[in-house]
Amino acid sequence: MSNAEQIEYWNSKVGETWVLMQERMDLALTPVTSALLAAAAPQPGELVLDIGCGAGETTLAMDAVVGEGGHAIGLDVSEPLLARARERAAALLSEAEFIAADAATWAEETGFDLILSRFGVMFFNDPGAAFANLHALAAPGGRLVFACWQPAARNLWATLPMTALAHLLPANPPIDPLAPGPFAFADAARVATLLEAAGWQDLAFHSLPFEMLVGEGDDPIASAVQFNMRIGPAAKAVREAGIGDAAKTILAEALQPHLHDGQVRLAGAIWLVTARA
């Protein structure tokens, strides 16, 4: 997708669905968020920019740390998700600011001590130009910290549903692995080249395997099926193919072996990337 297509996509019913799934997603990504915040190490008084902030989980966490002397700004292209973020900020009496903007070109403020992102940087149509723009927004010595997915083969949460449903889905042409999308930054060497060309220094890539919680409650399997029918690669494929009823049965069977102690968890792996301006 181009940036324009991404903006249209995230302002469609997809954005509304992610609002409904906000609590589930934040819970599923708890290990990622904890690692991201630890690596970012925000300090009181800092100016922080959150790229692809979504419903505001990481922005609000940053704002709580930087305090009255600092400020946290969240950027996103999805108006539905930003509306949810503002609701959460109001409930928490947070001063975090949420702006509808494309981070690839936004330049309303500079001097950021910290720029971070939880899965918001892999969708740029021109990632080199976008990282150069982010570099221009950073203060001298400013930190960049983001999470991006490792290859799909290490992310069972993405591959299991698609594999289970493959016989019901139409054949699609091969996907360009470098095209904007969840796994566009799976190749750490490519990402390093992009960052260095944009002026970022002191790069480090930390591998973080984790387990994504996709189902729990009174009926963990039904919960996990619902999760996969609304979020992730299978959700879009099922919707476009019109195979919802059949998909539920097949997914329930495929997810059953991953039910342990009342929870369904699927393996995932990210790169936690750090750099300095």
Side-chain angles (χ1 to χ4, degrees):
M1 291 185 183
S2 68
N3 278 16
E5 289 171 323
Q6 290 286 351
I7 292 170
E8 181 180 359
Y9 180 76
W10 287 105
N11 283 285
S12 68
K13 288 187 177 181
V14 172
E16 297 172 6
T17 297
W18 278 68
V19 169
L20 294 174
M21 297 292 288
Q22 171 252 309
E23 292 184 4
R24 293 280 302 276
M25 281 303 302
D26 287 342
L27 182 61
L29 296 177
T30 295
V32 174
T33 303
S34 297
L36 181 69
L37 298 182
Q43 301 298 314
E46 288 192 321
L47 182 60
V48 181
L49 182 65
D50 190 359
I51 305 301
C53 65
E57 178 81 353
T58 46
T59 315
L60 293 169
M62 294 292 103
D63 187 70
V65 176
V66 300
E68 293 184 2
H71 189 45
I73 297 175
L75 296 185
D76 206 282
V77 298
S78 175
E79 291 286 5
L81 284 165
L82 288 168
R84 176 61 183 143
R86 294 181 187 117
E87 288 178 358
R88 298 174 73 187
L92 295 170
L93 302 180
S94 170
E95 295 295 326
E97 183 179 2
F98 295 97
I99 299 173
D102 184 348
T105 56
W106 185 80
E108 299 302 314
E109 191 165 351
T110 60
F112 288 94
D113 302 294
L114 170 64
I115 299 175
L116 81 156
S117 180
R118 187 185 72 177
F119 305 126
V121 295
M122 302 95 69
F123 302 95
F124 294 126
N125 191 49
D126 185 342
F131 279 132
N133 185 58
L134 296 182
H135 185 270
L137 301 180
R143 297 154 0 249
L144 174 67
V145 183
F146 64 85
C148 61
W149 296 109
Q150 290 190 24
R154 297 203 63 195
N155 285 283
L156 190 63
W157 62 267
T159 58
L160 181 146
M162 293 300 289
T163 300
L165 299 171
H167 65 289
L168 295 180
L169 298 173
N172 289 314
I175 298 175
D176 179 0
L178 303 185
F183 300 104
F185 284 2
D187 184 346
R190 175 187 179 238
V191 177
T193 298
L194 288 168
L195 290 170
E196 289 172 346
W200 295 97
Q201 302 176 352
D202 300 332
L203 276 57
F205 288 75
H206 307 276
S207 178
L208 176 66
F210 74 104
E211 289 190 327
M212 183 184 291
L213 175 62
V214 298
E216 59 176 353
D218 295 337
D219 190 339
I221 294 296
S223 174
V225 169
Q226 181 201 51
F227 186 95
N228 281 281
M229 294 284 283
R230 291 188 174 183
I231 296 289
K236 183 173 184 289
V238 167
R239 185 171 61 251
E240 292 179 347
I243 58 169
D245 291 339
K248 290 178 183 178
T249 301
I250 293 169
L251 287 174
E253 182 177 348
L255 290 163
Q256 189 67 45
H258 302 277
L259 172 62
H260 302 286
D261 300 322
Q263 295 183 327
V264 179
R265 293 180 178 269
L266 298 176
I270 68 163
W271 293 117
L272 191 59
V273 185
T274 60
R276 284 189 178 273

